[in-house]
Amino acid sequence: MNQTQPIWIRDPLAILATGAERGVVIQDGKIVELVPHGGKPSTANVAFYDATGHVVLPGLINTHHHFYQTLTRALPAALDRELFPWLQALYPVWARLTPESLDLGFTVAMSELLLSGCTTTTDHHYVFPAGLEDAIDIEVAAAKRLGIRVLLTRGSMNLSQRDGGLPPDSVVQDEDTILADSERVVAKHHQRGEDAMVQIALAPCSPFSVTTSLMRATAELAERLDVRLHTHLAETEDENKFCEQMFRCRPLDYLEQCGWLNARTWLAHGIHFNPDEMKRLGKAKTTISHCACSNQLLASGCCPVCEMEEAGVSIGLGVDGSASNDGSNLMQEVRAAFLLQRARYGVGRVSHKDALRWATKGSAACVGRPELGEIAVGKAADLALFKLDELRFSGHGDPLAALVLCGAYRADRVMVGGNWAVIDGAIPSLDVADLIRRHNAAARAMQAG
């Protein structure tokens, strides 16, 4: 194997790593050396990138999203509604998705994420109206074009309104179809190993949109195929009431009965767990994606992150869908999570470094990728570089704190697996103006019916 020339990311303003004050050396997609204060690389024949104007973070990792929802941001019919009525307003619009509009929605979401410093993202796609059977394949192609690392979940719904669920009949599929396609996309797209750029997980949408049979069968399939599991859980009190009425138990009990309470699973939201349930989650090594902006917009509540972490639960961050966050910016999500949890717990328990940790190392635990989310020797060369030359940062002291407190939202450079995916605040070869034009047209057509 031919070795590429190592690159020294040299002399950053600040870096989120101990012992790397003079930067890091990258080779063949990995971090091969940390350069301490006053030191020089021991690696031979290094090129260098001048990072004197940058703050360097591990690439941010987004653990929950619905990419297609970029097509229904700030939709009038869904404004000022809580989760269940919000979904009921949006499902008929989502039923009009086409392969073309879906590709545009995917591309917009992943582009926004990359530009915000996100190097790895999940997506939870669970809407499959007629004609969208290849939705995950479309998504994989878009991710490869952009050069972002992805864990895409093959979502599902098979409990429609006629069965007592929320979604209309037109966006659900039957269990056999779901399971067969789940196996297909894993076989076709799922990559193994530390260098994997595309991975697949299985993700029935929620207890109120899938049957118990599908929940159990999906857990069995995930174990057989050795892939991860994802779903929404404990997002609202309405969900608790639904589970108690439908299944005679609380959501976590139901999850355990279905074979999901294990280290393979990460859950979106996790707001309404009691102390005993948090301990059970920690013991099982099940992780939580905290979605601060979405939870505030839908008035769902606030994830108890400190109690969760004290119970041994790893916390990651997710932007959630662009119809409930109305954005796909993970750096802004870091700030939102910091402010929300600081207000809840106070100065002594939550710092800006906690919020950055949730978006990096904590999120890496959610996606089952310990080689991500940290600047250390042997880890993947996934990095986000931010400049502090905007008006919002003028007068700053601590550069790392400034990213969070002053509201950084756009990375100047983003590296994924040793390759630059964002250069000078732009994605090479992406015509943003044309993308916006086509995406807006698709959104208008879909919303008009």
Side-chain angles (χ1 to χ4, degrees):
M1 176 180 172
N2 293 325
Q3 295 277 307
T4 58
Q5 184 178 18
I7 301 173
W8 177 17
I9 310 294
R10 191 175 76 177
D11 293 327
L13 274 174
I15 185 168
L16 191 61
T18 302
E21 293 80 10
R22 293 213 67 198
V24 295
V25 179
I26 307 298
Q27 187 172 28
D28 298 321
K30 302 286 186 184
I31 297 169
V32 296
E33 187 177 354
L34 306 184
V35 185
H37 177 74
K40 291 184 179 180
S42 59
T43 307
N45 193 33
V46 295
F48 72 88
Y49 175 77
D50 183 0
T52 53
H54 295 90
V55 180
V56 181
L57 300 180
L60 308 180
I61 301 169
N62 177 40
T63 59
H64 186 62
H65 206 336
H66 309 293
F67 291 165
Y68 71 92
Q69 290 182 13
T70 60
L71 293 154
T72 52
R73 299 197 236 231
L75 194 71
L79 294 176
D80 303 322
R81 291 175 178 240
E82 293 183 358
L83 179 64
F84 280 18
W86 174 85
L87 284 168
Q88 289 165 333
L90 284 161
Y91 276 136
V93 183
W94 295 337
R96 303 182 196 121
L97 283 164
T98 65
E100 294 75 22
S101 63
L102 200 64
D103 180 64
L104 289 164
F106 290 159
T107 302
V108 164
M110 284 186 272
S111 298
E112 278 189 276
L113 285 164
L114 264 177
L115 291 168
S116 74
C118 177
T119 53
T120 299
T121 183
T122 64
D123 183 49
H124 190 183
H125 187 80
Y126 54 83
V127 179
F128 289 86
L132 284 190
E133 292 78 11
D134 295 333
I136 306 303
D137 306 88
I138 295 169
E139 197 165 19
V140 170
K144 288 181 176 179
R145 286 197 306 269
L146 293 167
I148 191 170
R149 204 185 295 272
V150 290
L151 172 56
L152 306 173
T153 75
R154 203 301 180 181
S156 56
M157 297 191 294
N158 73 331
L159 191 66
S160 66
Q161 288 172 345
R162 67 184 175 190
D163 307 308
L166 286 180
D169 298 343
S170 60
V171 299
V172 304
Q173 296 175 305
D174 65 75
E175 182 174 318
D176 289 344
T177 298
I178 291 164
L179 294 173
D181 193 57
S182 296
E183 191 154 7
R184 178 190 72 83
V185 296
V186 171
K188 184 176 181 180
H189 299 298
H190 185 73
Q191 299 171 357
R192 310 275 175 183
E194 292 187 348
D195 296 327
M197 289 293 293
V198 178
Q199 293 193 320
I200 304 294
L202 305 184
C205 183
S206 62
F208 45 84
S209 56
V210 301
T211 61
T212 301
S213 174
L214 180 59
M215 285 289 287
R216 289 175 173 160
T218 302
E220 292 166 2
L221 182 61
E223 185 171 1
R224 177 163 66 83
L225 300 178
D226 189 23
V227 295
R228 295 184 74 73
L229 285 166
H230 184 53
T231 193
H232 300 89
L233 205 77
E235 183 175 1
T236 66
E237 287 291 2
D238 285 344
E239 180 190 319
N240 282 345
K241 294 172 186 174
F242 178 91
C243 286
E244 287 165 356
Q245 291 170 3
M246 182 71 75
F247 308 121
R248 301 291 186 266
C249 63
R250 286 174 58 83
L252 189 67
D253 299 321
Y254 177 67
L255 198 77
E256 185 169 25
Q257 292 168 17
C258 293
W260 278 62
L261 191 57
N262 54 54
R264 195 181 296 282
T265 300
W266 89 100
L267 304 171
H269 304 298
I271 296 168
H272 298 285
F273 289 126
N274 62 40
D276 176 68
E277 290 168 337
M278 294 179 207
K279 291 176 183 177
R280 289 163 61 193
L281 288 163
K283 184 177 180 181
K285 302 301 180 188
T286 300
T287 53
I288 299 293
S289 173
H290 173 36
C291 305
C293 288
S294 173
N295 294 162
Q296 290 175 89
L297 190 145
L298 293 173
S300 300
C302 179
C303 179
V305 295
C306 287
E307 287 89 341
M308 288 274 200
E309 290 191 314
E310 287 165 2
V313 182
S314 290
I315 300 293
L317 292 189
V319 299
D320 202 2
S322 285
S324 63
N325 179 322
D326 297 289
S328 303
N329 190 302
L330 192 51
M331 195 65 223
Q332 288 185 335
E333 196 71 30
V334 171
R335 187 171 191 264
F338 164 69
L339 292 174
L340 180 66
Q341 299 299 340
R342 169 64 70 85
R344 179 182 179 119
Y345 292 107
V347 171
R349 297 184 72 184
V350 174
S351 77
H352 65 278
K353 289 186 178 179
D354 289 313
L356 289 168
R357 174 174 54 80
W358 298 330
T360 53
K361 198 170 181 179
S363 286
C366 286
V367 298
R369 301 289 300 269
E371 69 277 12
L372 307 179
E374 191 176 1
I375 297 174
V377 173
K379 303 289 185 178
D382 289 9
L383 302 171
L385 283 66
F386 293 83
K387 285 188 172 181
L388 300 181
D389 57 358
E390 296 176 70
L391 196 59
R392 70 182 63 229
F393 299 114
S394 183
H396 76 271
D398 183 301
L400 280 170
L403 287 182
V404 180
L405 302 180
C406 302
Y409 69 95
R410 193 176 185 107
D412 181 63
R413 287 253 173 172
V414 176
M415 176 180 280
V416 184
N419 298 310
W420 292 116
V422 173
I423 298 173
D424 298 331
I427 298 169
S429 77
L430 180 68
D431 186 336
V432 174
D434 180 63
L435 176 60
I436 291 171
R437 179 186 60 77
R438 292 185 294 125
H439 182 265
N440 268 325
R444 284 194 296 268
M446 203 171 87
Q447 293 169 24

